[in-house]
Structure formats: structure tokens, C-alpha cells
Amino acid sequence: MGPLNGYTVIELAGIGPAPMGGMILADMGAEVIRIDRVAGASQLAMKDVSARGKKSVVINLKDSGGIETLLRMLENADVLIDPFRPGVCEKLGIGPDVCLARNPKLVFARMTGWGQDGPLARAAGHDINYISLTGALYAMGRKGEKPVPPLNLVGDMGGGGMLLVNGVLAALLETTNSGRGQVIDAAMVDGAAQLMWMFHGLHDIGMWDATRRESNLLDGGAHFYDTYECSDGEYVSIGSIEPQFYALLKQHAELSEEDFGDQNNAEKWPEMKAKLEAVFKQKSQAQWCDIMEGTDVCFAPVLSFVDAPAHPANVARQTYIDVDGLTQPAPAPRFSRTPSGVAHAGPRAGQDSDTVLAAMGFGESEIAALKQSGAIA
């Protein structure tokens, strides 16, 4: 059932953070109805993890009948997720003013890269650009080498999808008190900036050099917080920051006090890292797991996302699930009384048009007429 059972979310089809946000809301029990396009509907949606648990209605948003259909649906909805660039919904005739006039309690959640205003608002962009402008990308990579994109996790997903969900949940809570909806401006550049909060504080007190990569505590500069290659070519990760954890690292890796005793002397980090690299290459990843995994060394093998579901810890916690033959992350977080879940895999584009519209008060003849006119499919 999930904690959001009873809420209805209309998600205009998009890519990246908007469908991720819709997926999380669907996992939590909301009825998420994706509005797919008439043209370009693809069977690839069947393998789109973010489409899980959602329903699909195909509406032609360039048709006046399609626009009116969507507005009528919004009268029965709690949230609209807008994944378009600023101004697109207004041009279509479904901007916030129009939608809130039809449903004053509607949460109109807008997900963009650069935000709804500012000099870059209408420019194209991707994750790599948003994290470039916030200092996140600059900080990632090896010393003397170019910055390394962290997939699209920081801008799109962490700075975008998670921020979107956070805004929607907060707005829904506020609506229960005020009885009024509002517009959410969720920008990936804002979210990426928020994710960098800690480094601003560390820099201010002199504990982080923002001008250099691989020179600080958490960017691979410290020998006790990095990845190391093993004898079999696989890797392990070490995060032995606290003194008691570092002591265990020295114990389990049989590191001498003479070579590794001065843990926080940054000038010695490169030397100690070179020595630690030699140590980890003496054993395979599996051997190091036997020695360190489950201890307070703060250790883990570096796994591919294909191998991760088979790790015993992930199996025990059921961190991954199988939905129609596709292995994917399980819903999170976990609720004790109203657990989240995945009702079904991603729908075929338009497969729920008739049932969704009928449930929202459209008669059979109306639905047939809308199909005949090309407003829906």
C-alpha cells in the first residue's frame, strides 16, 4: 500500500530525474499516471526501471481536446510533475496558473536543470554541466588529471530526482494544513550545490583545498580513504578515517607503525599510499574480504552494479528485486507499517488510457470521441 496510498500524481513523460521522482512516489504507494506522447511511444518503456508501478495514458498535448483531457485529469490529482524547460507548459496551455485554477490544491512540481529563472534558464544542459557550475565536478578526479564525471548521479539523480521528491512531499504536507497548492522550482544546479554543503564548511576552516584534486580527506588524497587494486585486478575500498578504525586497518593489513603511524600527516599521504598499494596487491579481492569484511575497518569490495545484487549483504537485506526478469534496486526507504512496493513493471504506452479516464469520470462515448479525434490514444 505504501505511505502515499490515496495520492494521485500526473507525470508528464520526460527523462532522468523527473521519472526517477515519479518512480519513488509510485514505490511509496501513490498512483502515478505517466502522460506519454502520441508520437515516439516505444516498447523500451517495458525495460525502463523508472516506469515501474506507473500507469500510462497517451495524450496529444498539441491538440485542444488533449489539453482539456489533461486539465480534467488534474482536477482529480494531487501532483503534476513537469519535466520540460521553463515556459513549455505555458505554451501548451497547461502552465501553473491554468492548472491551479482548475485545482487550487495541486502541487505543480517543475524539474529543470538551471531553474525557472536566471540567464541559463532556457539553455540546454545535462548533469555534467550542472555539477560543473557548482564545484562538484572540479573536485572529482586524480591529481594532475582532468575531472571525472561521476556518472549522472550528482546532478540528475541526487541533485534532481531526490530534490524533486523532497519538494513534493513537503508541499503535500503543507497542503494538508493550508488547503492550497503551490509551484515547486526544483533545479538540478540547486540540488548539486546543496550536496556540496560540507565542503564549503571544510574549506572555510582550512580543512579542504578546493584548488587541488586528490589532495584532501575524501577525494582520494588520504591513503586511508581510497580504492586499491588487488592481485586479481579487482578493487577494494577503504574508509578508515577515525583513529579506532585506522588502528584496525593497520592490524588486519599488518601495517607497521613506523610506516603508517602518522595517519593525519598529509605530507606523508602520497608515500603511505604507495606503500599501501603494494600491500593490497599481495592478495586477491576475495582474500581481503575474508580478512576485513564485517570489521570496523570500513571496508568493502568494489563491485559492478551487475555483480552487486549477488553480494550476501544485499541478498540478506533484499536490496535488489526482480520485476518481470529485470533486476533492479528495491524501493527505499523502508517503512514499518506502510511498506513500499512495486505493483508491476513499466506499462506499454497508452495501455491504461481507457481505465484511468473512466475512473476519473470520462464516459465511454467521451473516450471513444477523444480517440477518434486523435486527442488520446
Side-chain angles (χ1 to χ4, degrees):
M1 299 293 286
L4 294 182
N5 180 49
Y7 287 94
T8 299
V9 177
I10 306 293
E11 175 195 320
L12 303 179
I15 60 173
M20 174 193 172
M23 176 191 75
I24 293 173
L25 297 173
D27 288 348
M28 291 181 180
E31 180 180 53
V32 179
I33 302 166
R34 191 185 63 213
I35 306 302
D36 284 312
R37 298 174 179 86
V38 173
S42 171
Q43 293 303 310
L44 288 176
M46 298 294 289
K47 292 295 183 180
D48 179 4
V49 172
S50 75
R52 70 189 191 190
K54 300 177 183 178
K55 295 178 179 178
S56 172
V57 175
V58 169
I59 297 180
N60 183 358
L61 295 179
K62 296 182 179 180
D63 179 272
S64 60
I67 293 298
E68 179 58 26
T69 299
L70 177 60
L71 291 174
R72 281 183 60 183
M73 293 176 67
L74 291 175
E75 293 174 5
N76 298 282
D78 300 288
V79 180
L80 173 67
I81 296 178
D82 164 21
F84 302 140
R85 291 197 212 184
V88 171
C89 279
E90 285 83 350
K91 289 181 181 179
L92 291 171
I94 52 172
D97 292 343
V98 174
C99 293
L100 284 165
R102 297 291 283 263
N103 181 356
K105 294 182 66 175
L106 183 71
V107 173
F108 196 112
R110 316 195 81 166
M111 183 75 259
T112 62
W114 304 112
Q116 293 298 312
D117 53 32
L120 297 176
R122 296 180 184 272
H126 275 300
D127 179 292
I128 195 170
N129 310 124
Y130 314 134
I131 67 175
S132 293
L133 209 64
T134 57
L137 183 58
Y138 188 96
M140 299 176 189
R142 294 300 182 182
K143 186 184 301 182
E145 299 180 9
K146 64 182 182 179
V148 178
L151 304 180
N152 63 331
L153 300 178
V154 178
D156 281 354
M157 307 311 170
M162 291 296 189
L163 187 71
L164 175 67
V165 171
N166 187 46
V168 166
L169 296 179
L172 287 174
L173 279 173
E174 195 281 334
T175 299
T176 62
N177 295 322
S178 69
R180 299 169 59 194
Q182 59 183 307
V183 181
I184 300 171
D185 178 358
M188 288 172 252
V189 67
D190 295 345
Q194 283 199 333
L195 293 175
M196 293 296 290
W197 65 272
M198 184 171 69
F199 305 101
H200 287 271
L202 290 174
H203 180 265
D204 188 62
I205 60 174
M207 291 187 63
W208 194 277
D209 185 349
T211 68
R212 297 193 299 164
R213 285 183 285 279
E214 199 183 7
S215 302
N216 299 286
L217 179 65
L218 303 175
D219 65 358
H223 63 290
F224 51 84
Y225 197 91
D226 205 351
T227 58
Y228 289 93
E229 186 177 6
C230 305
S231 62
D232 55 357
E234 300 296 331
Y235 291 82
V236 295
S237 63
I238 298 295
S240 309
I241 297 175
E242 292 80 358
Q244 65 272 29
F245 302 155
Y246 186 70
L248 286 173
L249 171 64
K250 290 189 293 182
Q251 174 187 329
H252 289 291
E254 299 180 356
L255 307 179
S256 70
E257 189 68 22
E258 179 182 357
D259 289 336
F260 292 93
D262 199 2
Q263 177 187 357
N264 293 309
N265 187 340
E267 292 183 0
K268 292 186 177 181
W269 283 352
E271 176 187 344
M272 288 189 276
K273 181 179 288 190
K275 292 179 179 179
L276 197 52
E277 286 174 348
V279 169
F280 275 106
K281 280 191 176 180
Q282 294 173 6
K283 294 180 174 63
S284 68
Q285 183 190 72
Q287 289 175 312
W288 285 117
C289 285
D290 289 340
I291 294 170
M292 295 186 178
E293 197 163 26
T295 73
D296 280 354
V297 167
C298 300
F299 164 96
V302 178
L303 306 176
S304 75
F305 68 82
V306 175
D307 294 331
H311 189 278
N314 291 330
V315 172
R317 275 191 58 80
Q318 297 180 322
T319 302
Y320 294 86
I321 57 175
D322 183 283
V323 180
D324 285 2
L326 177 60
T327 300
Q328 54 196 268
R334 305 179 186 199
F335 299 89
S336 64
R337 186 171 52 80
T338 58
S340 299
V342 177
H344 52 74
R348 185 181 68 257
Q351 77 172 42
D352 304 297
S353 295
D354 290 8
T355 56
V356 166
L357 293 179
M360 289 187 166
F362 289 76
E364 288 185 21
S365 59
E366 284 184 284
I367 296 173
L370 288 168
K371 287 185 177 180
Q372 182 66 31
S373 69
I376 68 170

